[in-house]
């Protein structure tokens, strides 16, 4: 369907004799085949430049009045684009601040292995690559760009002060925007399309976010072809590394969300951690008085304190390590107390679940709060019963006192559920409701359908 009409990628005659423009389709193709090359294929003939013309990529978010683009030779310092045939206005990027921030962090993560800065602050009159994001129609830049998701000039080498573009045609989807933005910027460095579906330079759908792959990959859009820059394969990661050199490792940011500093805790208490990184967090580890307890490889990070911690004060350290091996840690003091019971032993808004004090109905996001998505819950678990009541839940095992007063342990799901007559939580739910649905699964199904519509 769409596949056949959008393979025309090179808009010859759009630009000066030294460059052709690369325009992208607005939506990913539904093709997932990314064949690996046989060994010994020819590397592209034109190597990476020894030095880049700049180490700054300026991500320009088009504001309310739009981005003014001037025609002429490629020069980001004067907002001049060789693709604009006349003075143009790229209209406002309509997506939210959140989408923009996610696009920026995705772009930073994508380029983090290399010594190049991704910024959305205008660097002014210094050499820089500029990536313009906006435009409710791809033809705002050039009438010939119908159906394009992004565009870049292309010479097989570095284009100093290049102006590249991602159009606002993907909706509030930061990873789709990031895929196109990362690809257009890389075209200005001299990289062409390749058929690895994990790499931003691909046209193939497949996993998101896409990251530059240190893999020899055939050039091509939907099937292998000789590289426009000579040879049969390119290695995007190696090319950018050769051009810019390696990036500076930056430690993750790690925050202990619970328990609070100085808090009384109970045996097998839960430590919830937020860890973020410009590349990716590899693992989060829990140390008690310097002794490693447990670790978690997957966000949201939830670590259960090991057995055998004596009552009294202890030092709790959480250590996050990113994929480059750079660690960061956060430390608090806690006081180990005896296990709580369903009716006593917890302070403030906490309630006792399985002998551990956890945030209860009085705490936003605590157990028993209404929810619509797991992210609204401190436990990261939001379940619905058959009548449509949705609550933040915590796990229980059905033993006597495993749930606090006002809750009962639902045997069907092993979670504490508001009891029907408790008066707790404005509940009209039923403690015997047999079927609960995890909202994470539901959300994934809805999202998939929408993406293919
Ligand atoms: Zn492209």
């Amino acid at each position: 369907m769409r596949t056949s009409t959008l393979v025309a990628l090179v808009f010859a005659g759009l630009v000066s004799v030294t460059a052709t423009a690369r325009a992208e389709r607005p939506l990913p193709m539904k093709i997932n085949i990314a064949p690996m090359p046989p060994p010994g294929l020819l590397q592209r003939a034109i190597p990476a430049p020894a030095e880049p013309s700049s180490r700054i990529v300026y991500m320009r978010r088009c504001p309310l009045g739009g981005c003014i683009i001037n025609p002429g030779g490629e020069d980001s310092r004067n907002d001049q684009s060789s693709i604009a045939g006349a003075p143009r206005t790229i209209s406002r990027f309509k997506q939210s601040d959140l989408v923009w921030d996610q696009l920026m962090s995705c772009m930073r993560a994508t380029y983090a292995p290399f010594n190049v800065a991704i910024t959305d602050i205008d660097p002014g009159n210094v050499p820089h690559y500029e990536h313009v994001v906006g435009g409710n129609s791809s033809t705002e830049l050039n009438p010939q760009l119908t159906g394009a998701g992004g565009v870049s000039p292309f010479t097989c080498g570095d284009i100093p002060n290049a102006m590249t573009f991602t159009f606002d045609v993907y909706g509030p989807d930061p990873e789709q925007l990031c895929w196109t933005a990362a690809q257009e910027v890389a075209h200005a460095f001299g990289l062409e399309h390749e058929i690895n579906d994990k790499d931003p330079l691909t046209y193939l759908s497949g996993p998101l976010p896409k990251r530059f792959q240190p893999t020899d990959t055939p050039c091509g859009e939907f099937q292998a072809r000789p590289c426009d820059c000579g040879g049969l394969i390119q290695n995007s990661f190696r090319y950018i590394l050769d051009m810019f050199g390696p990036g500076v490792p930056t430690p993750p940011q790690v925050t202990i969300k619970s328990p609070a500093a100085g808090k009384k805790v109970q045996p097998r208490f839960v430590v919830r951690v937020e860890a973020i990184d410009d590349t990716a967090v590899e693992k989060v580890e829990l140390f008690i008085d310097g002794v490693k307890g447990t670790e978690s490889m997957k966000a949201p990070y939830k670590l259960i304190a090991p057995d055998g911690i004596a009552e009294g004060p202890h030092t709790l350290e959480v250590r996050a390590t990113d994929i480059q091996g750079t660690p960061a840690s956060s430390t608090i003091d806690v006081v180990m107390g005896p296990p709580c019971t369903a009716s006593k032993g917890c302070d403030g808004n906490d309630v006792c679940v399985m002998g551990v004090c956890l945030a209860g109905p009085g705490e936003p996001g605590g157990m028993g709060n209404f929810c619509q998505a797991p992210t609204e819950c401190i436990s990261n678990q939001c379940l619905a019963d058959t009548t449509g009541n949705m609550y933040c839940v915590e796990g229980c095992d059905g033993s006597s006192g495993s749930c606090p007063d006002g809750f009962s342990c639902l045997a069907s799901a092993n979670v504490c559920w508001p009891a029907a007559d408790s008066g707790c939580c404005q509940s009209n739910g039923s403690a015997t409701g047999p079927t609960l649905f995890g909202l994470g699964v539901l959300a994934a199904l809805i999202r998939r359908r929408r993406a293919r519509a």
Side-chain angles (χ1 to χ4, degrees), residues 22 24 183-184 187 193 203:
R22 305 230 144 199
E24 319 304 343
Q183 178 176 125
E184 302 308 338
H187 284 327
H193 297 141
Y203 261 30

Side-chain angles (χ1 to χ4, degrees), residues 28-49:
M29 298 296 113
K30 211 176 165 183
I31 295 174
N32 283 299
I33 311 151
M36 285 294 107
L41 282 184
L42 277 179
Q43 282 282 351
R44 59 176 267 165
I46 302 174

Side-chain angles (χ1 to χ4, degrees), residues 261-272:
K263 191 173 169 164
K264 191 173 75 179
V265 294
Q266 296 76 36
R268 300 192 61 74
F269 65 96
V270 177
V271 181
R272 292 197 161 89

Side-chain angles (χ1 to χ4, degrees), residues 135-147:
N136 56 36
S137 163
S138 49
T139 59
E140 285 177 358
L141 180 63
N142 188 306
Q144 296 180 54
L145 290 175
T146 305

